[in-house]
């Protein structure tokens, strides 16, 4: 309920996923003035005042609507709460209760509110973090494709004999175990300890095996809301300290990284004329949003390493795509996006990301590009990476499926150094990684078929298994919504009927006025799922009376970019499904018909609605 201190309770508040729900309750645009808010509240409070009702049922419905109007007016009439609500919706109102904004300057209010939200989201994520581990088993399967086996007389082996011989030469070349834990040691300080043990065989022409062990300790400290600092060192050896500072705002991020080694201090006492001074490596990067209304970001990185100077620059951007009818295409989904019903395709809404840049670092210079698609419903992403350098041309193609507690991914990379297939499987933060060297030579055809065959297998599985399963899942979802509406939401239907009865007198009066001047007369209005498909039967709301009650002077206007479910006499029959308002009306004696998606404004009458 409104006013709760529980940050998770926002999802239980009516219209919690709609930042304009309270505007919808008053049927006002987001740009409404304080005077318009007061007048509309006064008008509606007279209509829904409980004291004006004698019937108990109508009085109960009027009381609920009256309280909702009061809450909407309470939020929108106060400049501070209205601004917080405009920025973050119900989340902003909850943040106002949990944090003190009285001493925040007006020009910093939005930034501080969003910082508080990011802090709250960060705390929620950190509470769910568990120790993470990784086991890497590297395999060398290059004998299958690189070696040519022969018999004693020099003739080639048969395919079966070649397979047997290759299997005998497949070996494990690396084995590594990595574990990471994190603990908060002070209010703004965390300690991260990461241990890694690696064993393997040395590549030709060297012989023998090796084992390395590393135990890294990292201290992270948040100096201010915008400035973070961390220091990392090897706890098993005297290797110096790597330090990194990051300053971030809503539009840009600056980071600086360097390292301090004990030899740097030792040379202060042992330096002689002619000696080469050791200078610590420094790396500075800047990532900035280039345009206020665009997600495009520019990244510039400048560094000085032991191999010489390095300069990197890149442009990156991302776009959200939604193919479902009736959805607002302007807004990208946030980390706390509203609930969505399953679509049949599973690819109804997705994000695309691209990045292009270059590196100037001596022989390691080159151009690089990346393109990725993230399918949010399926929990899948695919990406392609290409790097064209002075030394080689390298490309990578891969994909990943990620569920609540598990993830599986694979990618194939190819270049002059050979072809490698990498498979990752994660379960509750524990990861198994299998890098398999398929060839140590340049082999484009092997890399191509390694990427194509699994992709083709997935395409077949998608069309014959995943898509039919999602169709069944969507029908079950719609059937469950209809059952809930009939059995569990009977109180909602009762309130709707009572609200419609409260509006009948107003609607009849407006209709008589419009008929007298041959104006706008609403014959039928229905509000329900945009796609009239299998399973949507019975999920439409008759809103003829509420819509007619909104007609004024032969005109009807309902602001867009928000759900219409908050309008008195409307309700959401099935949460998470795009909805459309279908209106059949007469104007100047001629028939008109319109289908308006939920988040689009309603403007009647229009010539385009005329039925020939």
């Amino acid at each position: 309920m409104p006013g709760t201190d529980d940050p998770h309770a926002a999802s239980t508040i009516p219209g919690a996923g709609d930042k304009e729900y309270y505007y919808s309750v008053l049927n006002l645009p987001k740009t409404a003035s304080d005077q318009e808010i007061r007048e509309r509240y006064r008008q509606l409070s007279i209509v829904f005042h409980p004291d004006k009702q004698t019937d108990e049922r109508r009085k109960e419905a009027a009381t609920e609507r009256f309280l909702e109007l009061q809450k909407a007016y309470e939020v929108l009439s106060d400049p501070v709460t209205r601004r917080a609500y405009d920025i973050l919706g119900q989340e902003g109102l909850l943040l106002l209760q949990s944090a003190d904004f009285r001493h925040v300057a007006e020009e910093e209010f939005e930034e501080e509110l969003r910082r508080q939200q990011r802090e709250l989201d960060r705390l929620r994520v950190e509470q769910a973090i568990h120790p993470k581990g990784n086991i890497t088993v590297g395999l060398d399967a290059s004998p299958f494709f690189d070696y040519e086996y022969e018999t004693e007389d020099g003739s080639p082996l048969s395919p079966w004999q070649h397979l047997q011989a290759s299997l005998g030469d497949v070996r494990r070349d690396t084995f590594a175990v990595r574990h990471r834990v994190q603990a908060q040691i002070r209010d703004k300080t965390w300690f991260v300890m990461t241990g890694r043990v690696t064993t393997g065989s040395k590549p030709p022409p060297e012989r023998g095996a090796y084992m390395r062990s590393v135990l890294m300790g990292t201290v992270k400290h948040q100096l201010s809301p915008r400035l973070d600092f961390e220091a990392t060192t090897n706890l098993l050896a005297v290797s110096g300290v790597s330090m990194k500072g990051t300053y971030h705002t809503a539009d840009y991020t600056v980071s600086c990284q360097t390292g301090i080694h004990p030899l740097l201090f030792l040379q202060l006492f042992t330096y002689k004329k002619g000696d080469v001074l050791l200078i610590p490596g420094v790396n500075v990067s800047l990532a900035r949003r280039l345009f206020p209304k665009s997600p495009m970001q520019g990244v510039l990185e400048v560094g000085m390493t032991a191999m010489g100077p390095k300069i990197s620059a890149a442009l990156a951007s991302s776009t959200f795509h939604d193919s479902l009818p009736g959805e607002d295409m302007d807004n990208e989904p946030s980390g706390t996006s509203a609930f969505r019903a399953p679509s049949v395709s599973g690819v109804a809404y997705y994000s695309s990301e691209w990045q292009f840049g270059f590196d100037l670092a001596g022989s390691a210079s080159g151009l690089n590009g990346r393109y990725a698609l993230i399918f949010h419903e399926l929990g899948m992403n695919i990406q392609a990476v290409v790097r064209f350098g002075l030394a080689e041309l390298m490309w990578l193609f891969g994909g990943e499926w990620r569920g609540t507690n598990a993830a599986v991914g694979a990618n194939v990379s190819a270049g002059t150094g050979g072809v490698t297939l990498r498979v990752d499987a994660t379960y509750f933060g524990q990861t198994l990684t299998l890098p398999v060297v398929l060839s140590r030579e340049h082999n484009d055809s092997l890399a191509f078929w390694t990427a194509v065959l699994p992709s083709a297998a997935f395409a077949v599985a998608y069309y014959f298994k995943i898509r039919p399963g999602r169709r069944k899942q969507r029908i079950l979802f719609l059937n469950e919504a209809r059952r809930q509406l009939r059995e569990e939401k009977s109180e909602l239907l009762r309130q709707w009927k009572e609200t419609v009865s409260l509006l009948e007198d107003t609607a009849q009066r407006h209709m008589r006025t419009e008929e007298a001047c041959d104006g706008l007369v609403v014959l039928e209005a229905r509000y329900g799922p945009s796609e009239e498909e299998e399973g949507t039967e019975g999920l439409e709301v008759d809103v003829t009376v509420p819509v007619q009650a909104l007609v004024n002077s032969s005109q009807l206007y309902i602001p867009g970019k928000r759900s219409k479910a908050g309008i008195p006499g409307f309700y959401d029959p099935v949460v998470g499904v795009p909805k459309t308002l279908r209106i059949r009306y007469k104007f100047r004696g001629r028939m008109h018909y319109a289908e308006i998606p939920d988040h689009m404004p309603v403007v009647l009458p229009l010539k385009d609605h005329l039925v020939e």
Side-chain angles (χ1 to χ4, degrees), residues 234-249:
N234 188 347
L235 301 178
L236 299 180
V238 181
S239 60
V241 179
S242 173
M243 297 178 295
K244 180 180 180 182
T246 304
Y247 182 82
H248 49 84
T249 68

Side-chain angles (χ1 to χ4, degrees), residues 526 530 532 580-583 593-598 600 609:
R526 295 174 291 122
S530 298
E532 296 180 315
T580 294
L581 176 61
R582 300 175 174 88
I583 304 179
Y593 178 76
E595 292 188 359
I596 301 99
D598 199 16
M600 294 294 292
H609 299 162

